[in-house]
Amino acid sequence: LVVVQVALALVLLIGSGLMIRTFQHLRGVQPGFTRPEEVQILHSMISAAVAKEPEHVMRMQHEILDKLAAIPGVTSVGLANAAPMEYLGSLGNPVYAEDKTFAEGQVPPLRRIRKITPAYFKTMGTRVIAGRDFTWTDLYEKRRVAIVSENLAREWWGVPRAALGKRIREGGAADPWREIVGIVENVYDDGVHVKPPEFAYWPALMDRYVWSGENGFVLRFGTYAIRSSRTGTEGLLAEAQQAIWSVNGRRPVFLATTLEALYDRSMARTSFTLVMLAIAAGMGLVLGIVGIYGVIAYVVSQRIREIGIRTALGAQPAGLLGMFVRQGLWLTGIGAALGLVAATGLTRLMSSLLFGVTALDPVTYTAVSVLLIVSGVLASYLPARRAITVDPVHALRTQ
């Protein structure tokens, strides 16, 4: 029973250790934004009943952003059609490059599309690797410009800076070519455990857009990003809501959250698995230690007369102590060996949950084995320590 308990404990501990290592690696990934706990996310919409013309809508959005930026404690604001990690696993659209040809009937891979205003990258903490951000002049003059992610630039042109000046478009001939003016770092939009999608960023105001006809496009449904030291407080939410209402009437302001909450949600599966495995592994370890302790304590109680005889004949306490500890280690060693064999097979089933570590990670296997052996030594030492302190005369009288 003890051997089985130790083996199961080792399997669970290795699984938990692999998830801890995975969690550490995930936390070390730069997700494409910084200090998410400082970014407040709000949503609202300017309907056609409030403003019909795209230019009018954009000026209202601009005014809202200015009012949000004027709130005490706010350092930067931006607007987009979605925040990072807001819609995990969302699809994209084909993006064409002017200098890339495709076979007849072939469609380029899907790319994630995001419409943004100036200062969106600054607010999120997304680095501009080459080129520049959009400007309000770009939007109001409806310049045909675009920004792409680093991985898209590397895929098509080798190095990020080589993408500057190239032209891309989202649709076919109906969509105009847009000149790439900037390249930004990759954003892990589906969670840091998934390869970051390739992104194309369009201005929030455009003269023509393939999905909106020839009347142009404007970002009516807005995801407002606010970077502030007051993020998450009721005061900031109330003031931000009032700033939006002062321009857009009493239109709903909804889905208030923080970028940190979106980031944590993307880690939920890993976190949940880690917690469940940690609880199971902890219980398994306790059961293993209790089992070894119980076995050694029972053996000691059955060998009290033998201990008395050995002591009377001159056996040293250290020798007696080692005798029982070795018996506990023998049980631990057999269980650990069986557990290692089982773990090498079972942990392969959780490979899809791992990131930055393999199912046969030597660091995890070594650390868990050492932990289990040390636990076995301690569980054996305590009852054995009591045994060698027994009075030989009392031990010899024990039936």
Side-chain angles (χ1 to χ4, degrees), residues 26-78:
L26 289 175
R27 283 291 183 182
V29 174
Q30 170 56 41
F33 47 80
T34 58
R35 301 190 305 279
E37 69 281 0
E38 296 181 1
V39 181
Q40 182 72 56
I41 304 296
L42 298 171
H43 299 78
S44 188
M45 179 178 180
I46 299 177
S47 66
V50 175
K52 185 176 181 179
E53 295 300 322
E55 294 82 356
H56 186 194
V57 175
M58 195 71 261
R59 293 195 182 278
M60 289 181 66
Q61 298 282 32
H62 194 173
E63 186 178 356
I64 289 173
L65 292 175
D66 286 342
K67 288 183 178 293
L68 291 173
I71 296 174
V74 173
T75 57
S76 180
V77 295

Side-chain angles (χ1 to χ4, degrees), residues 170-220:
E170 185 174 346
D175 201 37
W177 292 109
R178 301 185 178 278
E179 180 184 349
I180 298 175
V181 297
I183 295 90
V184 295
E185 67 175 313
N186 300 328
V187 176
Y188 286 75
D189 207 49
D190 297 326
V192 292
H193 62 291
V194 180
K195 176 179 175 290
E198 295 81 6
F199 261 101
Y201 297 90
W202 306 144
L205 177 65
M206 295 179 279
D207 62 338
R208 291 178 62 188
Y209 185 53
V210 63
W211 306 114
S212 61
E214 297 183 359
N215 295 327
F217 169 86
V218 67
L219 187 59
R220 290 182 178 274

Side-chain angles (χ1 to χ4, degrees), residues 19 22 193-194 269-270 347-355 357 359:
M19 291 308 299
T22 292
H193 62 291
V194 180
R269 184 182 69 160
T270 300
T347 52
R348 296 180 187 275
L349 300 177
M350 57 185 295
S351 296
S352 62
L353 296 173
L354 303 181
F355 179 85
V357 62

Side-chain angles (χ1 to χ4, degrees), residues 185-333:
E185 67 175 313
N186 300 328
V187 176
Y188 286 75
D189 207 49
D190 297 326
V192 292
H193 62 291
V194 180
K195 176 179 175 290
E198 295 81 6
F199 261 101
Y201 297 90
W202 306 144
L205 177 65
M206 295 179 279
D207 62 338
R208 291 178 62 188
Y209 185 53
V210 63
W211 306 114
S212 61
E214 297 183 359
N215 295 327
F217 169 86
V218 67
L219 187 59
R220 290 182 178 274
F221 178 84
T223 299
Y224 299 94
I226 307 168
R227 182 170 288 275
S228 171
S229 57
R230 300 167 57 202
T231 291
T233 63
E234 292 184 5
L236 177 64
L237 290 173
E239 291 178 56
Q241 186 179 55
Q242 192 58 48
I244 295 172
W245 283 351
S246 67
V247 178
N248 192 24
R250 299 190 70 82
R251 299 290 170 180
V253 177
F254 50 94
L255 295 178
T257 185
T258 65
L259 188 56
E260 182 179 36
L262 296 176
Y263 176 72
D264 291 341
R265 186 187 69 176
S266 75
M267 302 273 282
R269 184 182 69 160
T270 300
S271 300
F272 178 78
T273 306
L274 172 61
V275 171
M276 292 297 100
L277 277 174
I279 292 173
M283 294 177 64
L285 180 60
V286 170
L287 288 175
I289 292 174
V290 170
I292 294 171
Y293 178 90
V295 167
I296 299 303
Y298 176 77
V299 170
V300 168
S301 69
Q302 296 297 306
R303 299 174 67 179
I304 289 295
R305 285 179 60 82
E306 177 190 342
I307 292 171
I309 294 173
R310 286 177 179 272
T311 303
L313 294 176
Q316 296 300 312
L320 292 173
L321 185 66
M323 178 177 65
F324 291 109
V325 170
R326 281 193 297 273
Q327 187 168 2
L329 279 176
W330 178 247
L331 293 173
T332 305

